[in-house]
Amino acid sequence: MWTASLAPRTVTTYSTGYQSYLNFLIRYQLCHPLRNHHQLPVISEILLQYFIAYCFSVLHVQCATVKNYLAGIRFVYLRAGIDTCLDHPTAPSMSRLQTLLRGYKKLHISSTKKRLPITYNILTCIVAALRNGVFGAHDDLVMEAMCSLAFFGFLRCGEFTCAKSFDPEVNVCIKDVVLHPSQAKCAVNLKTSKTDPFRQGVTVNVFATSGSCCPFSSMRLLMFVRLQCGAKPCDAMFTDRGGLPVARSAFLSWLNIVLCRIGLNPSLYSGHSFRIGAATTAAHVNIQDHMIKTLGRWSSDCFTRYIRTPEDDIRRAHSSMARS
């Protein structure tokens, strides 16, 4: 139940945070490496302050990452029934740690690159390249279906790929994809996602389009191919030509190759670029905000930070203001 209380990626982040704390203690001889593994190392306010400084000067991680590391450390001790200074948010010790983190954030120069959106125009170029042949007939079809679904479904990369190994209880299976030919609709059941920690599941519908990129058509064709290959209901929907489920790393590798093929710099894009591009494209064609929120399953107006405004739109806005 302790493990189930966290999302899988949170478990990984917390484990990394706690391991980083152990490495810090061992590196500076504050903890013996051969200690009893059933006994948690010492923890105190001053050690956490030095750990924050260690993250800044040695690990060079983002301030938000340090906060997650501290949360991970707290979780480990909380599970062991040990009360720490991290459990008292109003205590003076936490105020000192928060002050250090504010200083950390001001001093740390972010190296995070701003991800560019994969808009509909870029998606059409990706699909055209795949249809001309990049990885082979099967993998090209799989990639086309994944990209089209990611864009029109406003999906996060982790929602349609698997991490390291395929889990039918988490990842998209054959049975999770239902085609409705009479409605020209493909319904995809996402069993888990970032905003669904209790795994209640959500259905994402994508419809046929009149454009060159049609998520319904590509998903229908892929479903036909998968069933022809003898795929069972609990098998992965997206597999490579060798039958292996497409992992996040494999999808991103494919994406980089295709982006290079169409003349774009892959370092400026990521798996999340489809979700950003979908929001940007929707705003560009004047889809109302409440519909963008619905399409992207946002519960707040945070989607606005995904929308990239072209300079031409700003130029036209200024011209309109001058004519008022």
Side-chain angles (χ1 to χ4, degrees), residues 290-303:
H290 72 87
M291 180 55 69
I292 297 177
K293 288 176 64 175
T294 300
L295 292 170
R297 295 163 284 129
W298 282 289
S299 58
S300 67
D301 292 334
C302 67
F303 73 92

Side-chain angles (χ1 to χ4, degrees), residues 221-243:
L221 180 56
L222 179 60
M223 176 66 78
F224 174 79
V225 171
R226 294 288 292 119
L227 294 179
Q228 284 292 102
C229 293
K232 299 178 181 179
C234 290
D235 289 344
M237 179 65 194
F238 305 110
T239 62
D240 62 20
R241 59 174 171 251

Side-chain angles (χ1 to χ4, degrees), residues 60-318:
H60 305 293
V61 295
Q62 300 290 325
C63 182
T65 302
V66 180
K67 290 181 179 180
N68 288 332
Y69 283 2
L70 293 176
I73 296 170
R74 175 183 179 272
F75 180 80
V76 170
Y77 284 82
L78 184 67
R79 184 172 56 185
I82 300 175
D83 189 54
T84 70
C85 60
L86 296 172
D87 295 304
H88 306 284
T90 59
S93 58
M94 279 304 296
S95 296
R96 285 188 281 270
L97 292 179
Q98 292 295 342
T99 301
L100 275 181
L101 289 173
R102 282 197 298 271
Y104 190 118
K105 188 173 183 178
K106 290 181 179 180
L107 290 174
H108 191 268
I109 300 176
S110 176
S111 59
T112 302
K113 296 181 180 179
K114 190 175 184 179
R115 295 164 295 184
L116 294 182
I118 292 179
T119 59
Y120 180 74
N121 290 335
I122 296 178
L123 177 64
T124 58
C125 294
I126 291 175
V127 170
L130 291 169
R131 290 176 181 174
N132 286 329
V134 179
F135 308 108
H138 181 276
D139 289 355
D140 287 340
L141 174 59
V142 172
M143 188 61 175
E144 177 183 337
M146 295 179 80
C147 291
S148 299
L149 178 64
F151 179 84
F152 288 100
F154 285 67
L155 300 186
R156 303 174 180 89
C157 191
E159 292 174 338
F160 59 94
T161 63
C162 56
K164 294 182 179 179
S165 59
F166 177 75
D167 183 354
E169 298 297 323
V170 175
N171 305 122
V172 178
C173 302
I174 295 290
K175 66 178 181 180
D176 296 319
V177 179
V178 181
L179 298 172
H180 301 274
S182 62
Q183 304 175 52
K185 179 182 76 172
C186 175
V188 181
N189 176 43
L190 301 179
K191 295 185 283 288
T192 182
S193 61
K194 179 181 178 181
T195 55
D196 183 20
F198 297 106
R199 298 188 180 183
Q200 295 177 336
V202 63
T203 299
V204 174
N205 295 313
V206 292
F207 293 83
T209 67
S210 57
S212 58
C213 299
C214 178
F216 172 74
S217 298
S218 58
M219 289 295 291
R220 180 173 60 177
L221 180 56
L222 179 60
M223 176 66 78
F224 174 79
V225 171
R226 294 288 292 119
L227 294 179
Q228 284 292 102
C229 293
K232 299 178 181 179
C234 290
D235 289 344
M237 179 65 194
F238 305 110
T239 62
D240 62 20
R241 59 174 171 251
L244 296 176
V246 179
R248 178 188 179 95
S249 57
F251 173 77
L252 294 178
S253 177
W254 285 358
L255 179 61
N256 288 345
I257 293 172
V258 179
L259 289 174
C260 285
R261 182 70 63 92
I262 63 176
L264 296 178
N265 183 354
S267 67
L268 301 178
Y269 298 86
S270 71
H272 211 64
S273 291
F274 289 99
R275 186 168 168 85
I276 300 171
T280 300
T281 302
H284 183 68
V285 297
N286 299 319
I287 293 178
Q288 295 181 345
D289 287 356
H290 72 87
M291 180 55 69
I292 297 177
K293 288 176 64 175
T294 300
L295 292 170
R297 295 163 284 129
W298 282 289
S299 58
S300 67
D301 292 334
C302 67
F303 73 92
T304 56
R305 66 188 177 91
Y306 285 150
I307 298 174
R308 307 291 192 258
T309 305
E311 288 187 358
D312 287 343
D313 290 353
I314 299 175
R315 184 181 295 109
R316 283 191 290 267
H318 287 171

